[in-house]
Coordinates of all heavy atoms in Angstrom, one line a residue:
M1298 N 97.2 100.9 128.2 CA 96.7 99.7 127.5 C 96.1 98.8 128.6 O 96.7 98.7 129.7 CB 97.8 99.1 126.8 CG 97.3 97.8 126.0 SD 98.7 97.0 125.1 CE 99.2 98.2 123.9
N1299 N 95.0 98.3 128.4 CA 94.4 97.4 129.4 C 95.1 96.1 129.5 O 95.9 95.7 128.6 CB 92.9 97.2 129.2 CG 92.6 96.4 127.9 OD1 93.2 95.4 127.6 ND2 91.5 96.8 127.2
D1300 N 94.9 95.3 130.6 CA 95.7 94.1 130.8 C 95.5 93.1 129.7 O 96.4 92.4 129.3 CB 95.2 93.5 132.1 CG 95.7 94.3 133.3 OD1 96.6 95.2 133.1 OD2 95.2 94.1 134.4
A1301 N 94.3 92.9 129.2 CA 94.0 91.9 128.2 C 94.8 92.3 126.9 O 95.4 91.4 126.2 CB 92.5 91.8 127.9
A1302 N 94.8 93.5 126.5 CA 95.5 94.0 125.3 C 97.0 93.8 125.5 O 97.7 93.3 124.6 CB 95.1 95.4 125.0
W1303 N 97.5 94.2 126.6 CA 98.9 94.0 126.9 C 99.3 92.5 126.9 O 100.4 92.2 126.3 CB 99.3 94.7 128.2 CG 100.8 94.7 128.4 CD1 101.5 94.0 129.3 CD2 101.7 95.5 127.7 NE1 102.9 94.3 129.1 CE2 103.0 95.3 128.2 CE3 101.6 96.5 126.6 CZ2 104.1 95.9 127.7 CZ3 102.7 97.1 126.1 CH2 104.0 96.8 126.7
E1304 N 98.5 91.7 127.4 CA 98.8 90.2 127.4 C 98.8 89.7 126.0 O 99.6 88.9 125.6 CB 97.8 89.5 128.3 CG 98.0 88.0 128.3 CD 99.4 87.5 128.7 OE1 100.1 88.2 129.4 OE2 99.8 86.4 128.4
S1305 N 97.9 90.1 125.2 CA 97.8 89.7 123.8 C 99.1 90.2 123.1 O 99.7 89.4 122.3 CB 96.6 90.3 123.1 OG 96.5 89.9 121.8
A1306 N 99.5 91.4 123.3 CA 100.7 91.9 122.7 C 101.9 91.1 123.1 O 102.8 90.8 122.3 CB 100.9 93.4 123.0
R1307 N 102.0 90.8 124.4 CA 103.1 90.0 124.9 C 103.2 88.6 124.2 O 104.2 88.1 123.8 CB 103.0 89.8 126.4 CG 104.2 89.1 127.1 CD 103.9 88.5 128.4 NE 102.9 87.5 128.4 CZ 103.0 86.2 128.0 NH1 104.2 85.9 127.5 NH2 102.0 85.4 128.0
R1308 N 102.0 88.0 124.1 CA 102.0 86.7 123.4 C 102.4 86.8 121.9 O 103.1 85.9 121.4 CB 100.6 86.1 123.5 CG 100.2 85.5 124.8 CD 99.0 84.7 124.8 NE 97.8 85.2 124.1 CZ 96.9 86.0 124.6 NH1 96.9 86.3 125.8 NH2 95.9 86.4 123.8
G1309 N 102.1 87.9 121.3 CA 102.5 88.2 119.9 C 104.0 88.3 119.9 O 104.7 87.7 119.0
A1310 N 104.6 89.0 120.8 CA 106.1 89.1 120.9 C 106.7 87.8 121.1 O 107.8 87.4 120.5 CB 106.5 90.1 121.9
E1311 N 106.1 86.9 121.9 CA 106.7 85.6 122.2 C 106.6 84.7 120.9 O 107.5 84.0 120.6 CB 106.0 84.9 123.4 CG 106.3 85.5 124.7 CD 107.8 85.3 125.0 OE1 108.4 84.3 124.7 OE2 108.4 86.3 125.5
W1312 N 105.5 84.9 120.2 CA 105.3 84.1 118.9 C 106.5 84.6 118.0 O 107.1 83.7 117.3 CB 104.0 84.4 118.3 CG 103.7 83.6 117.1 CD1 103.2 82.4 117.0 CD2 104.0 84.1 115.7 NE1 103.1 82.0 115.6 CE2 103.6 83.0 114.9 CE3 104.6 85.2 115.2 CZ2 103.8 83.1 113.5 CZ3 104.7 85.3 113.8 CH2 104.3 84.3 113.0
L1313 N 106.7 85.9 117.9 CA 107.8 86.4 117.0 C 109.1 85.8 117.4 O 109.9 85.3 116.6 CB 107.8 87.9 117.0 CG 106.8 88.7 116.3 CD1 106.9 90.2 116.6 CD2 106.9 88.4 114.8
K1314 N 109.3 85.7 118.7 CA 110.6 85.2 119.2 C 110.8 83.8 118.8 O 111.9 83.4 118.5 CB 110.6 85.4 120.8 CG 112.0 85.1 121.4 CD 111.9 85.4 122.9 CE 113.3 85.0 123.5 NZ 113.2 85.4 124.9
K1315 N 109.8 83.0 118.9 CA 109.9 81.6 118.5 C 110.2 81.4 117.0 O 110.8 80.4 116.6 CB 108.5 80.8 118.8 CG 108.3 80.6 120.2 CD 106.9 80.0 120.4 CE 106.6 79.9 121.9 NZ 105.3 79.4 122.2
H1316 N 109.9 82.4 116.2 CA 110.1 82.3 114.8 C 111.4 83.1 114.3 O 111.7 83.1 113.1 CB 108.9 82.8 114.0 CG 107.8 81.9 114.1 ND1 106.9 82.0 115.2 CD2 107.4 80.8 113.4 CE1 106.0 81.0 115.1 NE2 106.3 80.3 114.0
L1317 N 112.1 83.7 115.3 CA 113.3 84.5 115.0 C 114.5 83.5 115.0 O 114.7 82.8 115.9 CB 113.5 85.5 116.1 CG 114.7 86.4 115.9 CD1 114.6 87.3 114.6 CD2 114.9 87.3 117.1
R1318 N 115.2 83.5 113.9 CA 116.4 82.7 113.8 C 117.6 83.3 114.3 O 117.6 84.6 114.5 CB 116.6 82.3 112.3 CG 115.5 81.5 111.7 CD 115.7 81.3 110.2 NE 114.7 80.5 109.6 CZ 114.3 80.7 108.4 NH1 114.8 81.6 107.6 NH2 113.3 79.9 107.9
P1319 N 118.7 82.6 114.6 CA 119.9 83.2 115.2 C 120.5 84.3 114.4 O 121.1 85.3 115.0 CB 120.9 82.0 115.3 CG 120.0 80.8 115.4 CD 118.8 81.1 114.6
D1320 N 120.3 84.3 113.1 CA 120.9 85.4 112.2 C 120.0 86.6 112.1 O 120.4 87.6 111.5 CB 121.2 84.8 110.8 CG 120.0 84.5 110.0 OD1 118.8 84.5 110.5 OD2 120.1 84.3 108.8
G1321 N 118.9 86.6 112.8 CA 118.0 87.7 112.8 C 116.9 87.6 111.8 O 116.0 88.5 111.8
S1322 N 116.9 86.6 110.9 CA 115.8 86.4 110.0 C 114.6 85.8 110.7 O 114.8 85.2 111.8 CB 116.3 85.6 108.8 OG 116.6 84.2 109.2
M1323 N 113.5 85.9 110.0 CA 112.3 85.3 110.6 C 111.9 84.1 109.7 O 112.0 84.2 108.5 CB 111.1 86.3 110.6 CG 111.4 87.5 111.4 SD 111.4 87.3 113.2 CE 109.7 86.9 113.5
E1324 N 111.4 83.0 110.3 CA 110.9 81.9 109.5 C 109.8 82.4 108.6 O 108.9 83.1 109.0 CB 110.3 80.8 110.5 CG 111.3 80.0 111.2 CD 110.6 79.0 112.1 OE1 109.4 78.6 111.9 OE2 111.2 78.7 113.1
G1325 N 109.9 82.1 107.3 CA 108.9 82.6 106.4 C 109.1 84.0 105.9 O 108.3 84.5 105.1
G1326 N 110.0 84.7 106.5 CA 110.2 86.2 106.2 C 110.9 86.3 104.9 O 112.1 86.1 104.8
T1327 N 110.2 86.7 103.8 CA 110.8 86.7 102.5 C 111.0 88.2 102.0 O 111.6 88.3 100.9 CB 109.9 86.0 101.5 OG1 108.6 86.6 101.5 CG2 109.8 84.5 101.8
D1328 N 110.5 89.1 102.7 CA 110.8 90.5 102.3 C 110.6 91.4 103.6 O 110.4 90.9 104.7 CB 109.8 91.0 101.2 CG 108.4 90.9 101.5 OD1 108.0 91.3 102.7 OD2 107.6 90.4 100.7
L1329 N 110.8 92.7 103.4 CA 110.8 93.7 104.5 C 109.6 93.6 105.4 O 109.7 94.0 106.5 CB 111.0 95.1 103.8 CG 111.2 96.2 104.8 CD1 112.4 96.1 105.7 CD2 111.3 97.5 104.0
R1330 N 108.5 93.2 104.8 CA 107.2 93.2 105.6 C 107.4 92.3 106.9 O 106.7 92.6 107.9 CB 106.0 92.7 104.8 CG 105.6 93.7 103.8 CD 104.5 93.1 102.9 NE 105.1 92.1 102.0 CZ 104.4 91.6 101.0 NH1 103.2 91.9 100.8 NH2 105.0 90.7 100.2
A1331 N 108.2 91.3 106.9 CA 108.4 90.5 108.0 C 109.3 91.1 109.1 O 109.3 90.6 110.2 CB 109.1 89.2 107.6
Y1332 N 109.9 92.3 108.8 CA 110.8 92.8 109.8 C 110.6 94.2 110.3 O 111.0 94.6 111.4 CB 112.2 92.8 109.1 CG 112.6 91.4 108.7 CD1 112.4 91.0 107.4 CD2 113.1 90.5 109.6 CE1 112.7 89.7 107.0 CE2 113.4 89.2 109.2 CZ 113.2 88.8 107.9 OH 113.5 87.5 107.6
Y1333 N 109.9 95.1 109.5 CA 109.9 96.5 109.9 C 109.2 96.8 111.2 O 109.5 97.8 111.8 CB 109.4 97.4 108.7 CG 108.0 97.3 108.4 CD1 107.1 98.3 109.0 CD2 107.5 96.4 107.5 CE1 105.8 98.2 108.7 CE2 106.1 96.4 107.2 CZ 105.3 97.3 107.8 OH 103.9 97.3 107.5
K1334 N 108.3 96.0 111.6 CA 107.6 96.2 112.9 C 108.1 95.3 114.0 O 107.9 95.5 115.2 CB 106.1 96.1 112.8 CG 105.4 97.1 112.0 CD 103.9 96.9 112.0 CE 103.2 98.0 111.2 NZ 101.8 97.7 111.2
S1335 N 108.9 94.3 113.7 CA 109.3 93.3 114.6 C 110.2 93.9 115.7 O 110.0 93.5 116.9 CB 110.1 92.2 113.9 OG 109.2 91.5 113.0
A1336 N 111.1 94.7 115.3 CA 112.0 95.3 116.4 C 111.2 96.1 117.4 O 111.5 96.0 118.6 CB 113.1 96.2 115.7
A1337 N 110.3 96.9 117.0 CA 109.4 97.6 117.9 C 108.7 96.7 118.9 O 108.6 97.0 120.1 CB 108.5 98.5 117.2
A1338 N 108.2 95.6 118.3 CA 107.4 94.6 119.1 C 108.3 94.0 120.2 O 108.0 93.9 121.4 CB 106.8 93.5 118.3
F1339 N 109.5 93.7 119.8 CA 110.5 93.1 120.8 C 110.9 94.1 121.8 O 110.9 93.8 123.0 CB 111.8 92.6 120.1 CG 111.6 91.3 119.3 CD1 112.0 91.2 118.0 CD2 111.0 90.2 119.9 CE1 111.9 90.0 117.3 CE2 110.8 89.0 119.2 CZ 111.2 88.9 117.9
L1340 N 111.2 95.3 121.4 CA 111.6 96.4 122.4 C 110.4 96.7 123.4 O 110.7 97.0 124.5 CB 112.1 97.6 121.7 CG 113.4 97.5 120.9 CD1 113.7 98.7 120.1 CD2 114.5 97.2 121.9
A1341 N 109.2 96.7 122.9 CA 108.1 97.0 123.8 C 108.0 96.0 124.9 O 107.4 96.3 125.9 CB 106.8 97.1 123.0
H1342 N 108.6 94.9 124.7 CA 108.5 93.8 125.7 C 109.8 93.5 126.3 O 110.0 92.4 126.9 CB 107.8 92.6 125.1 CG 106.4 92.9 124.8 ND1 105.4 92.9 125.7 CD2 105.8 93.3 123.6 CE1 104.2 93.3 125.1 NE2 104.5 93.5 123.9
G1343 N 110.8 94.4 126.2 CA 112.1 94.3 126.9 C 113.0 93.3 126.2 O 114.0 92.9 126.8
Q1344 N 112.7 92.8 125.0 CA 113.5 91.8 124.4 C 114.5 92.5 123.4 O 114.4 92.5 122.2 CB 112.6 90.8 123.6 CG 111.7 90.1 124.6 CD 110.7 89.2 123.8 OE1 110.7 89.1 122.6 NE2 109.9 88.5 124.6
V1345 N 115.5 93.1 124.1 CA 116.5 94.0 123.4 C 117.4 93.2 122.4 O 117.6 93.6 121.3 CB 117.4 94.8 124.4 CG1 118.4 95.6 123.7 CG2 116.5 95.7 125.2
R1346 N 117.9 92.0 122.9 CA 118.7 91.2 122.1 C 118.0 90.8 120.8 O 118.6 90.8 119.7 CB 119.3 90.0 122.8 CG 120.4 90.4 123.8 CD 120.8 89.1 124.6 NE 119.7 88.8 125.4 CZ 119.6 87.6 126.1 NH1 120.5 86.7 125.9 NH2 118.5 87.4 126.9
E1347 N 116.8 90.4 120.9 CA 116.0 90.0 119.7 C 115.8 91.2 118.8 O 116.0 91.0 117.6 CB 114.7 89.4 120.2 CG 114.8 88.1 120.9 CD 115.2 88.2 122.3 OE1 115.3 89.3 122.9 OE2 115.3 87.1 122.9
A1348 N 115.5 92.3 119.3 CA 115.4 93.5 118.5 C 116.7 93.8 117.7 O 116.7 94.2 116.5 CB 115.0 94.7 119.3
E1349 N 117.8 93.7 118.4 CA 119.1 94.0 117.8 C 119.4 93.0 116.7 O 120.0 93.3 115.7 CB 120.2 93.9 118.9 CG 120.2 95.1 119.8 CD 121.2 95.0 120.9 OE1 121.8 93.9 121.1 OE2 121.4 96.0 121.6
R1350 N 119.0 91.7 116.9 CA 119.2 90.7 115.8 C 118.4 91.1 114.6 O 118.9 91.0 113.4 CB 118.8 89.3 116.3 CG 119.9 88.8 117.2 CD 119.5 87.6 118.0 NE 118.7 86.5 117.3 CZ 118.0 85.6 118.0 NH1 117.9 85.7 119.3 NH2 117.3 84.7 117.3
V1351 N 117.2 91.6 114.8 CA 116.3 92.0 113.7 C 117.0 93.2 113.0 O 117.1 93.3 111.7 CB 114.9 92.4 114.1 CG1 114.1 93.0 113.0 CG2 114.2 91.1 114.6
F1352 N 117.4 94.2 113.8 CA 118.1 95.4 113.2 C 119.3 95.0 112.4 O 119.5 95.5 111.3 CB 118.5 96.4 114.2 CG 117.4 97.3 114.8 CD1 117.3 97.4 116.1 CD2 116.6 97.9 113.9 CE1 116.3 98.2 116.6 CE2 115.6 98.8 114.4 CZ 115.4 98.9 115.8
D1353 N 120.1 94.1 112.9 CA 121.3 93.7 112.2 C 120.9 93.0 110.9 O 121.6 93.2 109.8 CB 122.1 92.7 113.0 CG 122.8 93.4 114.2 OD1 122.9 94.7 114.2 OD2 123.3 92.7 115.1
Y1354 N 119.9 92.1 110.9 CA 119.5 91.5 109.7 C 118.9 92.5 108.7 O 119.3 92.4 107.5 CB 118.4 90.4 110.0 CG 118.0 89.6 108.8 CD1 118.7 88.5 108.4 CD2 116.9 90.0 108.0 CE1 118.4 87.8 107.3 CE2 116.6 89.2 106.9 CZ 117.3 88.1 106.5 OH 117.0 87.4 105.4
V1355 N 118.1 93.4 109.1 CA 117.6 94.4 108.2 C 118.8 95.2 107.6 O 118.8 95.5 106.4 CB 116.6 95.4 108.9 CG1 116.3 96.6 108.1 CG2 115.3 94.6 109.2
E1356 N 119.7 95.6 108.4 CA 120.9 96.4 107.9 C 121.6 95.6 106.8 O 122.0 96.1 105.8 CB 121.8 96.7 109.0 CG 123.0 97.6 108.6 CD 123.9 98.0 109.7 OE1 123.8 97.4 110.8 OE2 124.7 98.9 109.5
R1357 N 121.8 94.3 107.1 CA 122.6 93.4 106.1 C 121.8 93.2 104.8 O 122.4 93.1 103.7 CB 122.9 92.1 106.7 CG 124.0 92.2 107.7 CD 124.5 90.8 108.1 NE 123.5 89.8 108.5 CZ 122.9 89.7 109.7 NH1 123.4 90.4 110.7 NH2 122.0 88.8 109.9
H1358 N 120.5 93.1 104.9 CA 119.7 92.6 103.7 C 118.8 93.7 103.1 O 118.3 93.5 102.0 CB 118.8 91.4 104.1 CG 119.7 90.2 104.5 ND1 120.2 89.4 103.6 CD2 120.2 89.8 105.7 CE1 120.9 88.4 104.2 NE2 120.9 88.7 105.5
Y1359 N 118.5 94.8 103.8 CA 117.5 95.7 103.3 C 117.9 97.2 103.3 O 117.2 98.0 102.6 CB 116.2 95.6 104.1 CG 115.5 94.3 103.9 CD1 115.6 93.3 104.9 CD2 114.9 93.9 102.7 CE1 115.0 92.0 104.7 CE2 114.3 92.7 102.5 CZ 114.4 91.7 103.5 OH 113.8 90.5 103.4
V1360 N 119.0 97.5 103.9 CA 119.5 98.9 103.9 C 120.4 99.1 102.7 O 121.4 98.3 102.6 CB 120.1 99.3 105.2 CG1 120.7 100.7 105.1 CG2 119.2 99.2 106.3
L1361 N 120.1 100.0 101.8 CA 121.0 100.3 100.7 C 122.1 101.2 101.1 O 122.1 101.8 102.1 CB 120.1 101.0 99.6 CG 118.9 100.2 99.1 CD1 118.0 101.0 98.2 CD2 119.4 98.9 98.4
A1362 N 123.1 101.3 100.2 CA 124.3 102.2 100.5 C 123.9 103.6 100.7 O 124.6 104.3 101.5 CB 125.2 102.1 99.3
N1363 N 122.8 104.1 100.1 CA 122.4 105.5 100.4 C 121.5 105.7 101.6 O 121.0 106.8 101.9 CB 121.7 106.0 99.1 CG 120.3 105.4 98.9 OD1 119.9 104.5 99.6 ND2 119.7 105.8 97.8
G1364 N 121.3 104.6 102.4 CA 120.5 104.6 103.6 C 119.0 104.3 103.4 O 118.3 104.2 104.4
D1365 N 118.6 104.3 102.2 CA 117.2 103.9 101.9 C 117.0 102.4 102.2 O 117.9 101.7 102.4 CB 116.8 104.3 100.4 CG 115.4 104.4 100.2 OD1 114.6 104.2 101.1 OD2 115.0 104.6 99.0
L1366 N 115.7 102.0 102.2 CA 115.4 100.6 102.3 C 115.1 100.0 101.0 O 114.5 100.6 100.1 CB 114.2 100.4 103.3 CG 114.4 100.8 104.7 CD1 113.1 100.8 105.5 CD2 115.4 99.8 105.4
R1367 N 115.4 98.7 100.9 CA 115.1 97.9 99.7 C 113.7 97.3 100.0 O 113.5 96.6 100.9 CB 116.1 96.8 99.4 CG 115.9 96.0 98.2 CD 117.1 95.1 97.9 NE 117.4 94.2 98.9 CZ 116.7 93.0 99.1 NH1 115.8 92.7 98.3 NH2 117.1 92.2 100.1
G1368 N 112.7 97.6 99.1 CA 111.4 97.1 99.3 C 110.9 96.1 98.3 O 109.7 96.0 98.0
D1369 N 111.9 95.3 97.7 CA 111.5 94.3 96.7 C 110.4 93.4 97.3 O 110.5 92.9 98.4 CB 112.7 93.5 96.4 CG 113.9 94.3 95.8 OD1 113.7 95.5 95.5 OD2 115.0 93.7 95.7
G1370 N 109.4 93.2 96.5 CA 108.3 92.2 96.9 C 107.3 92.9 97.8 O 106.3 92.2 98.1
V1371 N 107.4 94.1 98.1 CA 106.4 94.8 99.0 C 105.6 95.7 98.1 O 106.1 96.8 97.7 CB 107.1 95.6 100.1 CG1 106.1 96.3 101.0 CG2 108.0 94.7 100.9
P1372 N 104.4 95.4 97.7 CA 103.6 96.1 96.7 C 103.4 97.6 97.0 O 103.3 98.4 96.1 CB 102.3 95.3 96.6 CG 102.3 94.3 97.6 CD 103.6 94.2 98.2
W1373 N 103.2 97.9 98.3 CA 102.9 99.3 98.7 C 104.2 100.1 98.9 O 104.1 101.3 99.1 CB 102.1 99.3 99.9 CG 102.6 98.5 101.1 CD1 102.2 97.2 101.4 CD2 103.6 98.8 102.0 NE1 102.9 96.8 102.5 CE2 103.8 97.7 102.9 CE3 104.5 99.9 102.2 CZ2 104.7 97.7 103.9 CZ3 105.4 99.9 103.2 CH2 105.5 98.8 104.0
F1374 N 105.3 99.5 98.8 CA 106.6 100.2 99.2 C 106.8 101.5 98.3 O 107.2 102.5 98.9 CB 107.8 99.3 99.2 CG 109.0 99.9 99.8 CD1 109.1 99.9 101.2 CD2 110.0 100.4 99.0 CE1 110.3 100.5 101.7 CE2 111.1 101.0 99.6 CZ 111.3 101.0 100.9
P1375 N 106.7 101.4 97.0 CA 107.0 102.6 96.2 C 106.1 103.8 96.6 O 106.6 105.0 96.6 CB 106.7 102.2 94.8 CG 106.9 100.7 94.8 CD 106.4 100.3 96.2
M1376 N 104.9 103.6 97.0 CA 104.0 104.7 97.4 C 104.2 105.1 98.8 O 104.0 106.3 99.2 CB 102.6 104.3 97.1 CG 101.6 105.5 97.4 SD 99.9 105.1 96.9 CE 100.0 105.1 95.1
F1377 N 104.5 104.2 99.7 CA 104.5 104.5 101.2 C 105.8 104.1 101.8 O 105.9 103.6 102.9 CB 103.4 103.7 101.9 CG 102.0 104.1 101.4 CD1 101.3 103.1 100.6 CD2 101.4 105.3 101.6 CE1 100.0 103.4 100.1 CE2 100.2 105.6 101.2 CZ 99.5 104.7 100.4
R1378 N 106.9 104.4 101.1 CA 108.2 103.9 101.5 C 108.6 104.5 102.9 O 109.3 103.8 103.6 CB 109.3 104.2 100.5 CG 109.6 105.7 100.3 CD 110.6 106.0 99.2 NE 111.7 105.0 99.1 CZ 111.8 104.1 98.0 NH1 110.9 104.1 97.1 NH2 112.8 103.3 98.0
T1379 N 108.2 105.6 103.3 CA 108.5 106.2 104.6 C 107.9 105.4 105.8 O 108.3 105.5 106.9 CB 108.2 107.7 104.7 OG1 106.8 107.9 104.5 CG2 109.1 108.4 103.7
Y1380 N 106.8 104.6 105.5 CA 106.1 103.9 106.5 C 107.1 102.9 107.2 O 107.2 102.9 108.4 CB 104.9 103.2 105.9 CG 104.1 102.5 107.0 CD1 103.3 103.2 107.8 CD2 104.0 101.1 107.1 CE1 102.4 102.6 108.8 CE2 103.2 100.5 108.0 CZ 102.4 101.2 108.8 OH 101.6 100.6 109.8
A1381 N 107.8 102.1 106.5 CA 108.7 101.2 107.0 C 109.9 101.9 107.7 O 110.3 101.5 108.8 CB 109.2 100.2 106.0
H1382 N 110.3 103.0 107.1 CA 111.4 103.8 107.7 C 111.0 104.3 109.1 O 111.8 104.2 110.1 CB 111.8 105.0 106.8 CG 112.5 104.7 105.6 ND1 111.9 104.3 104.4 CD2 113.8 104.7 105.3 CE1 112.8 104.1 103.5 NE2 114.0 104.4 104.0
G1383 N 109.8 104.7 109.2 CA 109.2 105.3 110.4 C 109.2 104.2 111.5 O 109.6 104.5 112.7
W1384 N 108.7 103.0 111.2 CA 108.7 102.0 112.2 C 110.1 101.6 112.7 O 110.3 101.4 113.9 CB 108.0 100.7 111.7 CG 106.5 100.8 111.9 CD1 105.6 101.2 111.0 CD2 105.8 100.5 113.1 NE1 104.3 101.2 111.5 CE2 104.4 100.8 112.8 CE3 106.2 100.1 114.4 CZ2 103.4 100.6 113.8 CZ3 105.2 99.9 115.3 CH2 103.9 100.2 115.0
L1385 N 111.0 101.5 111.8 CA 112.4 101.1 112.2 C 113.0 102.3 113.0 O 113.7 102.0 114.0 CB 113.2 100.8 111.0 CG 112.9 99.5 110.3 CD1 113.5 99.4 108.9 CD2 113.3 98.3 111.2
G1386 N 112.7 103.5 112.6 CA 113.2 104.7 113.3 C 112.7 104.8 114.7 O 113.4 105.2 115.7
C1387 N 111.4 104.5 114.9 CA 110.8 104.6 116.2 C 111.3 103.5 117.2 O 111.4 103.8 118.4 CB 109.3 104.5 116.1 SG 108.5 105.9 115.4
A1388 N 111.7 102.4 116.6 CA 112.2 101.3 117.5 C 113.6 101.7 118.0 O 114.0 101.4 119.0 CB 112.2 100.0 116.7

C-alpha cells in the first residue's frame, strides 16, 4: 500500500477510536454494520485493545447461542450473512 493510502487508513482507524465507547460500542452504532469491519481496522493499525473491545461488544450483542450473528436492521444480511462472519473471522 502506498504511503498516502496507508496514512488515510490510519486516520480512519483514529476516527473510529474517537467514536469507540468504553463498553466497545460505537457512537451511532445501531446494528452490526457499525462493528463487523471495525476490529480489522483497529488490528491493522496495532490497536489491539480497541479491537478486543469491539469483539467483546459484538459477542455480547450480536452473537447468537448457535454461533451465528444477529443481523437485525441490516437489509443485506439474510442474503450475504457470511460477509460479516468473514470480516470478524479474518480479524
